[in-house]
Amino acid sequence: MVPKSRPAVVVINKWRMSEDVHAQQGLIGPNAVLQMLPVLDQVVGPARRKEIVAASGLRSVPDGTQMIPEDDAARLHAQVRRDEPSLAAFISQQAGTATARYILKNRIPRAVQMLLKVLPAGASAKLLSQAIEKHAWTFAGSGQFHVVDPMTFEIIDNPLIKGEASPHALCH
């Protein structure tokens, strides 16, 4: 009897997957969608948010327990840029700030937060940028994340702006 082959996905826990499988499937953390929705409610109102979400083709709101297809998040972000061009940068920045608050509250242990506060700024920035780089797979999706310096990062082939071109930054 021939043993059944194992699936290609190697799940370490609900968030972690082997990097090769993650990049192949194009997954991204649910905060790419979840943190944008309340900002849309605040900035353009719930009725307009529903229109934008519907136009993006997002069939359901992630429950926050697992990675999501990066294409779902990319379509929502692109729809915001199309439907609200004058507000898109502000909406994205507010959603990014909300994501940072979520990460501080739920993903960075209190002891580490305290350590970052007492270290000199340069040392804190370096330590934090190393942690960001280690966990970049959760927000960079299939893109390639690079630490330029402890305060500057880049995502090459950013899946949230895949296929778009602009003379100015699209991802805020």
Side-chain angles (χ1 to χ4, degrees):
M1 187 160 123
V2 177
K4 292 182 180 178
S5 63
R6 294 187 169 263
V9 176
V10 179
V11 177
I12 298 169
N13 68 29
K14 72 178 181 180
W15 293 107
R16 300 200 74 128
M17 303 176 98
S18 73
E19 288 184 23
D20 291 338
V21 171
H22 168 68
Q24 181 181 14
Q25 292 182 345
L27 299 175
I28 198 165
N31 279 315
V33 168
L34 291 175
Q35 299 302 330
M36 184 168 273
L37 300 177
V39 174
L40 284 168
D41 283 345
Q42 292 170 349
V43 176
V44 299
R48 183 74 178 118
R49 185 240 327 137
K50 288 177 186 175
E51 291 172 0
I52 292 169
V53 170
S56 77
L58 188 63
R59 291 185 291 268
S60 62
V61 173
D63 66 6
T65 64
Q66 58 190 349
M67 302 293 282
I68 64 171
E70 66 186 25
D71 289 346
D72 288 351
R75 284 193 319 273
L76 176 62
H77 284 248
Q79 196 68 46
V80 169
R81 288 190 295 275
R82 272 191 300 276
D83 287 2
E84 299 293 342
S86 65
L87 296 171
F90 176 76
I91 290 168
S92 292
Q93 289 167 344
Q94 293 300 303
T97 299
T99 300
R101 287 187 183 121
Y102 170 85
I103 290 167
L104 281 171
K105 182 177 179 186
N106 298 288
R107 299 284 179 229
I108 300 177
R110 296 268 183 243
V112 174
Q113 289 184 43
M114 290 172 47
L115 176 64
L116 291 171
K117 288 177 183 177
V118 299
L119 287 174
S124 287
K126 185 173 182 180
L127 186 63
L128 191 54
S129 70
Q130 289 170 345
I132 290 168
E133 183 175 37
K134 182 179 176 182
H135 294 93
W137 60 272
T138 64
F139 60 85
S142 61
Q144 294 110 40
F145 180 84
H146 298 282
V147 175
V148 176
D149 63 55
M151 298 298 290
T152 309
F153 311 103
E154 69 180 354
I155 300 174
I156 297 174
D157 295 326
N158 183 340
L160 296 182
I161 58 170
K162 189 184 326 184
E164 295 184 62
S166 174
H168 55 81
L170 289 175
C171 192
H172 299 275

